[in-house]
Amino acid sequence: MASLNVGNLGEFLREQRRSAQLSLRQLADAAGVSNPYLSQIERGLRKPSAEILQQLAKALRISAETLYVQAGILDERDRDETETRSVILADPSINERQKQVLLQIYESFRKENAPGPAAGPTLAGSADDDAEPSN
């Protein structure tokens, strides 16, 4: 896990707040934190908890994972995986069993494509292992 990068987080929060055209006080009220505390976060003086980051993300209408990455709590690749899982789980057009099967397939593909020694043979098996390369 990366170390908490509060300076960049504060700058990022300030940019997001300004893009949303919110004052410091408005964002603090919407997120349920004090105005001075939010100011200290934006200036890089405070390290907010994951819960506070989630409240800020909700108030800014951005994903909490985005703030976790900015804070160094979550790796960029982990965020992508989390967002993919969230989209699958939130899809109302497939049932729970289908969601779980889809998540299992997704995870197997991630493991298969992972760099390093953890990557193993494909489920298609070794039938392709003996085949001549096609060019």
Side-chain angles (χ1 to χ4, degrees):
M1 186 187 321
S3 64
L4 199 60
N5 192 347
V6 235
N8 289 344
L9 172 65
E11 293 169 21
F12 181 79
L13 275 172
R14 185 178 297 112
E15 289 171 19
Q16 293 298 311
R17 177 176 58 78
R18 289 179 176 161
S19 293
Q21 298 180 336
L22 293 171
S23 69
L24 193 68
R25 186 173 309 281
Q26 288 171 320
L27 178 57
D29 289 343
V33 298
S34 73
N35 193 38
Y37 181 64
L38 180 57
S39 175
Q40 290 173 349
I41 294 171
E42 282 193 0
R43 290 181 288 141
L45 302 174
R46 288 291 194 127
K47 298 177 182 180
S49 67
E51 183 179 328
I52 297 296
L53 290 173
Q54 188 172 21
Q55 291 170 220
L56 289 167
K58 186 176 180 183
L60 289 167
R61 297 183 177 169
I62 61 175
S63 74
E65 289 82 10
T66 300
L67 291 184
Y68 296 159
V69 169
Q70 288 295 320
I73 295 172
L74 187 65
D75 184 82
E76 184 76 31
R77 291 179 316 189
D78 294 337
R79 180 187 74 165
D80 293 343
E81 178 183 355
T82 302
E83 287 179 350
T84 301
R85 290 177 176 279
S86 296
V87 168
I88 291 170
L89 292 171
D91 189 336
S93 66
I94 58 177
N95 66 40
E96 289 304 312
R97 186 184 64 72
Q98 292 168 329
K99 290 176 185 180
Q100 292 307 312
V101 169
L102 190 53
L103 288 172
Q104 288 172 353
I105 293 168
Y106 172 67
E107 186 59 34
S108 72
F109 284 150
R110 286 183 51 83
K111 285 180 183 174
E112 180 180 322
N113 295 330
T122 64
L123 292 178
S126 43
D128 292 340
D129 293 345
D130 297 330
E132 297 266 337
S134 58
N135 289 340

